[in-house]
Amino acid sequence: MPGQLTLDTLNRASAADFVAALGDIFEYSPWVATEAAARRPFKNLAALRDAMIASIEAAPAEQRLKLIRSHPDLANKTQRAQGLTAHSTREQDGAGLDRLSETEFAMFERLNNAYKAKFGFPFMICVRRHTKDSILDAFARRLNNDPAQEQKEALTEIARIASLRLAGMIASGEPLAVHGTLSVHVLDTHRGLPADGMKFSLVELSRHGEERLIADLVTNADGRTSPEPIEGRPVPIGTYELRFQAAAYFAGRGVPLSDPPFLDVIPLRFGVSEPEQHLHVPLLVTPWSYSTYRGS
Amino acid sequence: MPGQLTLDTLNRASAADFVAALGDIFEYSPWVATEAAARRPFKNLAALRDAMIASIEAAPAEQRLKLIRSHPDLANKTQRAQGLTAHSTREQDGAGLDRLSETEFAMFERLNNAYKAKFGFPFMICVRRHTKDSILDAFARRLNNDPAQEQKEALTEIARIASLRLAGMIASGEPLAVHGTLSVHVLDTHRGLPADGMKFSLVELSRHGEERLIADLVTNADGRTSPEPIEGRPVPIGTYELRFQAAAYFAGRGVPLSDPPFLDVIPLRFGVSEPEQHLHVPLLVTPWSYSTYRGS
Amino acid sequence: MPGQLTLDTLNRASAADFVAALGDIFEYSPWVATEAAARRPFKNLAALRDAMIASIEAAPAEQRLKLIRSHPDLANKTQRAQGLTAHSTREQDGAGLDRLSETEFAMFERLNNAYKAKFGFPFMICVRRHTKDSILDAFARRLNNDPAQEQKEALTEIARIASLRLAGMIASGEPLAVHGTLSVHVLDTHRGLPADGMKFSLVELSRHGEERLIADLVTNADGRTSPEPIEGRPVPIGTYELRFQAAAYFAGRGVPLSDPPFLDVIPLRFGVSEPEQHLHVPLLVTPWSYSTYRGS
Amino acid sequence: MPGQLTLDTLNRASAADFVAALGDIFEYSPWVATEAAARRPFKNLAALRDAMIASIEAAPAEQRLKLIRSHPDLANKTQRAQGLTAHSTREQDGAGLDRLSETEFAMFERLNNAYKAKFGFPFMICVRRHTKDSILDAFARRLNNDPAQEQKEALTEIARIASLRLAGMIASGEPLAVHGTLSVHVLDTHRGLPADGMKFSLVELSRHGEERLIADLVTNADGRTSPEPIEGRPVPIGTYELRFQAAAYFAGRGVPLSDPPFLDVIPLRFGVSEPEQHLHVPLLVTPWSYSTYRGS
């Protein structure tokens, strides 16, 4: 959540205060903030972010590599208590990296070691945009890159991480487009009104059949939720299931149902490919029919 | 599957041959067939079945009770090799009673013992119309019956069992209405044609999260299957899930999809409450939307 | 459209200026404004409106009747140039009363005469909430009222007319809930995106097969229109048809269609019963399928 | 409707009887039947039809042209009483050619004269596969053909006409695939059952806003009609509208509706491009939503 820090404050701060505030945006690399301080004022957050990234792109190859190498190993769970910045710890938990099974841990470690052996730096990925499965997919795909391609991808990921950190720290009238939304809308087409009071849950599914409950929710009088099931952050790339308690809802309104009901819990399973997108998932439902679509 | 035995043959057979053929329709109670033999000819299977049931209803209370008591204990797995007729063994396997977990076995045994203690006869249920869950539900509900009600329910179940046995043995132009159908139809509304070659599976779901694969199937040029996913038998009361491999189908036709696809495997979960019904489950699907309804 | 006049200005104006501004809110009855001037200040528009209506309800029966009788005859087209206030002329055109056929004119006149003969005052109706058909329906229904009921209905309609006049004159942070919306949303479920650039028209249908084009529109990048097809006014009670040029849209995107197309112009016909409602009509469409529902 | 005449009878008839029966299949050209008589027996109707067409294709150019020229002028209404065979009169009425307006008649005549001037023979078209609009479209398109192309198209149409005549005269276990079907299915997804007793009409629409009622129908207990709205003939290429009386249906079942109802008469407008196709048009409907698709 954006704090009280504003771009205006930063534009007018001393260089020392500016660097104190933004020195951690790039892992152990306050020099990026130092260079940005000299380029003030910035008219909006995007201009600040772009200046910081331009500094990195203009830096000597050596220094860019050092920046990448400053980041923690993704799969090294044991290092966590020691070497991670506060930012990194919070972000890596998001994708469930602290809940790896032994098998998954082994796989991460194997991929990570292969990666480091090939490229000489740790695997960079903006974990808040990902689930465990999509991280594994990215690992597998990027291991095939050549070193120049991969250094570019690593810097792209670092820029994404930095953008999210900036968006999280600095209040702005022109926010960075780094957050997505997953919204749900339930229409009771039996009555022709929004479904008010339908319970549902949102679950993340992994390829190996593992489930992670994200939220237990209930629709309001508009058939929606407030806040949305996911908002104010990227929607992690992955597979999800919404589970709507349709029979309980209709039975609660006195609609006669069969026993067992034709529709009881309705699962809607869908994939997310663009974390910054507004993905809208409607459910149009009667006790005997339903439909859904990718809305907007 | 109906054999060569026809109603006409039975109508003209000697009483001894008639009883030899139909003596097992009611468990260890050839007297029902003996009485029916004297009422020939029957114009159709329903008339034969009704005559047999009328015999039972007209029999002294003692004899009706003896008929019920001749049936095997549902939960007594250990008796199976010894006391079950060939009919009973086959029928009880259908509901998965040979795949009970230890916990389930214990629950069945407890309910069965309570039932026998209350009513003095074993629990009768036409297992081919049921899943494990619906049998447990029936147990719980019927334990609350008074003895007269329950004897009536037990005889209703015995009549259902007998009807299915008759339908299975005797070929007839006027079959007994003891079978249901579960049919599936997939319409590719992206192309406006039946979905040809979409893989899907049909799974039975238990309340405790257990799954049982019923069939792996693929749609034909009409978007259907032949035979239907379930036909020629009652559709067991329970909860099911169809899982359609939508993304594989559309990718195979060159339709561009996101990665991961918005819709990959589409689960349709539904309940069956009337085993003799024709239940039709259509899926209308594009890569970005789908709908379903209870068809007919 | 609200002008510069604000409630704050009115609260602080002289009584004379207040009455000059609001004297026409009730037809030829500035005394209502005069009484309201004495009850200032009003915290919002609803309080002002309610005070004016309370004045009318508290007035002697004679005076209430005189207020009703001050209104013009609805069906008397010939009086228009002479006796109507500027407010009334504009409002009555909205329902198409200036486009009556001779037959309709005769029917209005006959109903109007029967009404005046029975009740002794002209028929009051807030025409901006109506179409010709719904005005005729109201005439027929209200002719059966007894005089007390009908006087009450007439005053209700006068209050509705006054509310719309107030809403149209006075800018307010808390607007009166006297406007509805008709919004449209087109989802191209063939591509999984809002339909951008689909032409459509909105037509009012009368019971006698007459059509009146309300608007020719085209969807924007969100699959919507801005402004909405109807907004900033009540949505008249009546029957409408949306006509979407689906084939032209899909052909323009290179989607192969049959000749003639299975779906060319898609008509969605629907009724409006609550003029102050937000009625949302979505169209989910592929070249081979579509669906719609009353949204919100 | 197929009469008593069977292929078997024709295979065994004398050559004279065979020609007497089939001499009119090709307009004023009994020689085609004479040649076919010599090639008997035919194993099915398709073989008979193909033999007749092969005769025509093998005939000298002169004779083929004469066959085409034996056909009546499509637009010459005045010739009708005189020169048309019984077959031709019945067939041309099907497309509404006896109901031409003066303008349409003038257009037909103009196109027909241009056609005859260019090709030297009358315009051939299997009218039972067409509506007035699609005949005009074909005229306009085919006027651009070169003479060889157009002679081929004319013979194709003559073969279609002959196939329909054969199918209409001769009963067969293997019918010719010359008929299509338009079927309708209404699912009441408010109750989860077929809509029993919903009235609807099927109307043919012309490009100029003219409507022609084809049938007033009502759904049966399966939500269908028997016979289908169109069957036993080609479904003419054109534009149609189904109009379902949804509000009357739901009101008759005691479902509360708004006034006017949100959905009253539901129009489904669709085009037919393949007359021999089975086109299935389902309506899934609640009082507040509906959907349709090209079924099969």
Side-chain angles (χ1 to χ4, degrees), chain A residues 36-110:
Chain A
R39 292 192 189 131
R40 292 178 293 169
F42 299 108
K43 65 173 182 188
N44 54 31
L45 271 182
L48 165 57
R49 190 252 328 261
D50 294 348
M52 292 180 110
I53 288 164
S55 279
I56 294 168
E57 284 171 348
E62 192 80 345
Q63 199 170 357
R64 283 207 307 275
L65 203 55
K66 195 169 159 231
L67 172 66
I68 300 178
R69 286 188 178 133
S70 304
H71 286 76
D73 259 10
L74 195 61
N76 193 343
K77 291 207 289 188
T78 57
Q79 274 193 4
R80 223 168 252 173
Q82 305 147 26
L84 297 191
T85 61
H87 278 308
S88 283
T89 305
R90 202 165 49 240
E91 288 158 3
Q92 296 195 12
D93 287 1
L97 296 184
D98 56 340
R99 290 183 308 274
L100 294 177
S101 69
E102 286 312 304
T103 315
E104 287 171 326
F105 181 74
M107 190 186 302
F108 266 89
E109 204 162 44
R110 186 176 52 72

Side-chain angles (χ1 to χ4, degrees), chain A residues 5 23 38 51 71 99 102 107 175-176 191 196 210 214 274:
Chain A
L5 191 58
H71 286 76
R99 290 183 308 274
E102 286 312 304
M107 190 186 302
L176 290 172
R191 286 193 313 142
D196 182 2
E210 196 188 334
I214 297 174
E274 299 174 40

Side-chain angles (χ1 to χ4, degrees), chain D residues 54-256:
Chain D
S55 278
I56 295 168
E57 284 169 349
E62 191 83 343
Q63 198 170 1
R64 282 206 308 276
L65 203 56
K66 193 169 161 233
L67 171 65
I68 299 179
R69 288 188 178 134
S70 306
H71 285 77
D73 258 10
L74 196 61
N76 193 343
K77 290 208 289 187
T78 56
Q79 277 192 2
R80 225 169 251 173
Q82 306 148 24
L84 295 191
T85 60
H87 279 309
S88 283
T89 305
R90 201 164 50 239
E91 288 157 5
Q92 296 194 13
D93 287 359
L97 295 184
D98 56 340
R99 290 183 307 276
L100 293 177
S101 68
E102 286 313 304
T103 317
E104 287 171 327
F105 180 74
M107 190 187 301
F108 266 89
E109 203 162 44
R110 187 177 52 71
L111 285 163
N112 205 42
N113 290 341
Y115 185 95
K116 281 193 294 184
K118 174 164 183 185
F119 297 116
F121 49 79
F123 181 68
M124 294 290 95
I125 195 160
C126 178
V127 291
R128 299 200 81 207
R129 302 175 75 249
H130 285 276
T131 56
K132 282 189 296 187
D133 280 350
S134 67
I135 289 174
L136 279 170
D137 290 348
F139 246 134
R141 180 180 58 75
R142 286 166 53 184
L143 263 173
N144 296 321
N145 279 346
D146 65 41
Q149 277 178 315
E150 182 51 25
Q151 206 180 110
K152 212 171 150 193
E153 282 217 39
L155 289 170
T156 298
E157 292 298 320
I158 286 171
R160 283 172 167 157
I161 294 165
S163 295
L164 278 167
R165 290 176 178 177
L166 288 172
M169 283 178 69
I170 307 171
S172 168
E174 285 179 76
L176 291 171
V178 290
H179 294 167
T181 311
L182 171 67
S183 60
V184 166
H185 195 188
V186 186
L187 270 296
D188 171 349
T189 47
H190 188 264
R191 286 193 314 142
L193 291 173
D196 183 2
M198 188 183 289
K199 290 180 181 171
F200 68 99
S201 56
L202 173 63
V203 170
E204 181 192 317
L205 303 180
S206 87
R207 212 165 287 153
H208 301 293
E210 195 190 335
E211 304 196 346
R212 189 167 72 85
L213 178 68
I214 297 175
D216 275 321
L217 298 157
V218 58
T219 56
N220 60 23
D222 291 329
R224 304 175 190 265
T225 64
S226 175
E228 307 293 5
I230 298 179
E231 65 173 46
R233 57 158 295 155
V235 185
I237 294 168
T239 302
Y240 298 83
E241 201 167 273
L242 287 159
R243 294 176 185 159
F244 295 95
Q245 297 189 23
Y249 167 83
F250 285 114
R253 297 190 161 274
V255 179

Side-chain angles (χ1 to χ4, degrees), chain B residues 9 27 46 73 81 115 125 183-184 255 269 286:
Chain B
T9 309
E27 210 86 0
D73 259 9
Y115 185 96
I125 194 160
S183 59
V184 166
V255 180
R269 193 177 298 173
T286 77

Side-chain angles (χ1 to χ4, degrees), chain A residues 206-284:
Chain A
S206 87
R207 211 165 289 155
H208 301 292
E210 196 188 334
E211 305 195 346
R212 188 167 74 85
L213 178 67
I214 297 174
D216 276 320
L217 298 157
V218 58
T219 55
N220 59 24
D222 291 329
R224 304 174 189 268
T225 64
S226 175
E228 308 292 6
I230 298 179
E231 67 173 46
R233 55 158 297 155
V235 185
I237 294 168
T239 302
Y240 298 84
E241 202 167 273
L242 287 159
R243 293 175 186 160
F244 295 95
Q245 297 188 25
Y249 166 83
F250 284 113
R253 297 189 161 273
V255 180
L257 303 175
S258 57
D259 179 22
F262 177 62
L263 299 175
D264 188 348
V265 172
I266 296 179
L268 296 191
R269 193 177 298 172
F270 58 93
V272 168
S273 55
E274 299 174 40
E276 288 78 24
Q277 188 187 32
H278 183 178
L279 179 60
H280 183 59
V281 182
L283 175 70
L284 317 179

Side-chain angles (χ1 to χ4, degrees), chain B residues 102-118:
Chain B
E102 285 313 303
T103 316
E104 287 171 326
F105 181 73
M107 191 186 301
F108 266 90
E109 202 160 46
R110 186 175 54 70
L111 285 163
N112 205 41
N113 291 340
Y115 185 96
K116 282 194 294 184
K118 175 164 183 185

